[in-house]
Amino acid sequence: MATYSNGILGAFSGTIGNVVGSSWKGIPVIRSKPIRKKTGHSVLQEERRARFLLMSKFLRPLTDLFNQTFQKSAVGMSCFNKAFSINKQSITGNYPSIAIDFPRIALSKGRLPLGEPPTISSPESGKLLLSWKTGDGINSLLTNGSAFIAVYNEEFGRWIFGQHFIAEGNSSFMLDVIPFSGRPVQTYIGFISKGCQKISESRYMGVIQVLS
């Protein structure tokens, strides 16, 4: 900003080119025209960013699980990025009121048979029990393999994940979820064969109320 005495044009106010003339306490003042900066993002950009951040935050705690379940299928990308790619559309609602669409979330993909439908329940305080029946090839493939349970509590915004290595004859797995006692949790299960050679598709088991 600068002041000036009346020149050949005299005092002026307003804008001429990139110069703005005005008066401050009776003193003629000239200043350069401010450059308007583009601020903010388009609504579409903001929505994409919000969806990206929501899903990234939701999936990130399960990175160790994804390193097993997407080990074979993550080609040219990290296992986490593979999981994100599969789940990025599993969001419901209209921006800005968006949320995770829990039944559509996939924690693993594969063709390892699940046998007869597994069941999950909360028979004891702070615990979840996964039970399954062998058959359809599941018995031989899962010997020395593992089963996993992953549960999410919306109130805390927190996952608890557990993996159980299966010995021959095992058909159940109890997971401690004491921090979620008395609260509902979103539940997912799946199976991994020895050496991660084969993976089952994860199954969403619905909302379970953990006994308090």
Side-chain angles (χ1 to χ4, degrees), residues 6 13 36 60 85 111 134 174 180 188:
N6 291 350
S13 63
R36 293 186 178 181
R60 185 66 64 183
S85 177
R111 296 183 178 180
T134 57
M174 186 87 82
F180 298 160
Y188 304 83

Side-chain angles (χ1 to χ4, degrees), residues 12 18 58 68 108 114 120 141 151 157-159 186:
F12 77 93
N18 291 325
F58 178 70
Q68 298 177 70
S108 62
L114 289 174
I120 192 165
L141 288 169
V151 299
R158 177 184 169 188
W159 284 97
Q186 306 286 340

Side-chain angles (χ1 to χ4, degrees), residues 120-130 149-151 173-177 180 185-187 208-211:
I120 192 165
S121 60
S122 181
E124 300 178 23
S125 175
K127 295 182 183 296
L128 289 175
L129 176 66
L130 169 63
I149 303 174
V151 299
F173 164 33
M174 186 87 82
L175 176 67
D176 287 332
V177 289
F180 298 160
V185 292
Q186 306 286 340
T187 57
I208 302 292
Q209 185 75 23
V210 181
L211 286 182

